Amino acid sequence: MFMRVDKLQADLPPPKEADPNAAAALQELLGGKYGEMSTLGNYMFQSFNFRSKSKLRPFYSLVASITAEELGHVELVLAGVAMLNNGPDGDHTGDGGDISGAEWEGMKDIRLAASFLSGAGGAMPVNSNGHSWNNDFITSTGNVITDLLHNFHLECGARLHKLRVYETLSDPTGREVCGYLLVRGSVHAHSYALAIEKLTGVDLKKMLPTPNIDLSKIPESQKYLDEGSHRRLYTFSPDDYTEMAGIWSNDEVALPGDPKGNLEVVSGMPDGGKIAELAGVPNVFTPNYAPEEMYEIASKLTKKM
């Protein structure tokens, strides 16, 4: 089962302005071939279908815990997309104004017009071109070595994904999403490399980092390196999945080029950051209720709790 916490895994700075085309680029990290929907789907089905869990417990625990983290990565990217689509926080109250003036005329020309026309400025499981994510991106073979090797490839591909998206963005919100995920993706690639080495003796760590970009060159990644995020795997559980310490701890150390230190398994989850509150849009509220009336109803319900 899963436990949900009302936070994002990282604190995202507010966007400088609404930039739906930047949001479209960030969508690649959500619904693209190497996006967070793909990493989540692969690890989730691999962990659900995992064979010989008791005998291969450290490897099962590794995939299972990263599954939970990837669910939070989907949430993080989705939040970044929505923030970029909507712009800085606002309080859109009133009746919505005169809609006959085509105040959103420019939105018809944005890269992913459906994000506004159908998605209310939110995010959907599509890539940067609006093509739907699909289950063909999932590999779950029942063979632990084959699955781990696929996961290593997936994380290396995702790292390349994030670097290219990062290089297309200038807004702090999108860059923060990329900077955080680049660090965490490197952790996952490293962890799968170690798992394969434990099983086969093959040292895939020599292939890292792939692509060969030092994360210290990315300002938005630096604070996560400074706090040691590159050396931590979280269980995302109060008690379970600690067995992966046999892979991730066990006197293993950070990759060359990253800040030095021993790898560690942390029970629980990162501290995280707040979730942005998107402003309501008055002219799409349910008929017969003004936004302020709906807020009043919600306030009364909260007081009863």
Side-chain angles (χ1 to χ4, degrees):
M1 67 177 71
F2 292 91
M3 179 176 68
R4 182 162 183 171
V5 177
D6 195 22
K7 286 185 174 182
L8 295 176
Q9 287 185 19
D11 203 9
L12 299 182
K16 294 179 180 178
E17 60 184 1
D19 190 346
N21 285 322
L26 202 60
Q27 277 276 173
E28 192 69 23
L29 301 190
L30 182 63
K33 181 177 180 179
Y34 296 104
E36 302 303 333
M37 290 287 297
S38 291
T39 50
L40 169 64
N42 276 271
Y43 310 156
M44 182 167 63
F45 282 95
Q46 287 176 15
S47 63
F48 290 169
N49 292 322
F50 203 99
R51 296 174 180 269
S52 301
K53 288 186 176 73
S54 58
K55 294 181 179 179
L56 298 171
R57 188 75 191 182
F59 304 97
Y60 164 67
S61 294
L62 180 70
V63 178
S65 63
I66 295 178
T67 296
E69 180 168 357
E70 294 294 349
L71 188 56
H73 287 184
V74 170
E75 183 182 33
L76 184 71
V77 176
L78 191 149
V81 169
M83 290 168 72
L84 285 169
N85 271 327
N86 288 270
D89 291 346
D91 183 19
H92 299 172
T93 57
D95 62 2
D98 180 8
I99 65 171
S100 66
E103 59 180 304
W104 298 108
E105 183 178 12
M107 300 302 281
K108 73 179 188 301
D109 297 322
I110 64 173
R111 184 173 173 185
L112 280 180
S115 66
F116 172 74
L117 299 171
S118 299
M124 297 297 286
V126 299
N127 69 8
S128 54
N129 290 320
H131 297 149
S132 294
W133 179 87
N134 72 84
N135 68 313
D136 290 341
F137 296 156
I138 293 178
T139 295
S140 178
T141 68
N143 180 289
V144 64
I145 295 176
T146 302
D147 284 351
L148 290 172
L149 187 60
H150 172 78
N151 296 352
F152 178 76
H153 157 77
L154 185 60
E155 291 291 351
C156 290
R159 178 183 165 93
L160 182 59
H161 235 189
K162 295 173 181 71
L163 281 169
R164 285 175 172 165
V165 172
Y166 178 88
E167 291 172 331
T168 71
L169 302 177
S170 58
D171 189 277
T173 306
R175 285 202 151 198
E176 188 72 21
V177 172
C178 294
Y180 176 76
L181 292 179
L182 277 164
V183 174
R184 297 308 300 165
S186 290
V187 170
H188 296 167
H190 188 186
S191 70
Y192 289 130
L194 287 173
I196 292 169
E197 184 176 7
K198 297 289 194 270
L199 284 167
T200 68
V202 176
D203 189 2
L204 290 182
K205 299 191 305 298
K206 293 179 179 179
M207 295 176 62
L208 296 173
T210 302
N212 189 19
I213 300 293
D214 192 336
L215 289 181
S216 65
K217 296 179 180 179
I218 300 173
E220 289 80 5
S221 295
Q222 189 60 54
K223 63 176 173 291
Y224 301 111
L225 296 174
D226 291 341
E227 69 185 24
S229 184
H230 64 294
R231 297 186 293 104
R232 297 193 189 111
L233 267 178
Y234 298 92
T235 63
F236 285 88
S237 170
D239 303 306
D240 297 322
Y241 308 125
T242 56
E243 299 89 353
M244 65 180 176
I247 299 171
W248 184 249
S249 296
N250 197 31
D251 299 324
E252 297 285 356
V253 297
L255 291 170
D258 288 344
K260 295 181 179 180
N262 288 345
L263 307 184
E264 56 180 328
V265 170
V266 178
S267 293
M269 62 201 73
D271 293 336
K274 66 180 180 64
I275 297 178
E277 184 168 337
L278 303 178
V281 183
N283 56 13
V284 299
F285 273 87
T286 304
N288 301 324
Y289 280 105
E292 56 269 20
E293 293 176 302
M294 296 186 73
Y295 301 148
E296 182 181 354
I297 293 169
S299 178
K300 289 179 179 178
L301 290 174
T302 303
K303 288 179 180 178
K304 291 182 179 180
M305 297 175 63

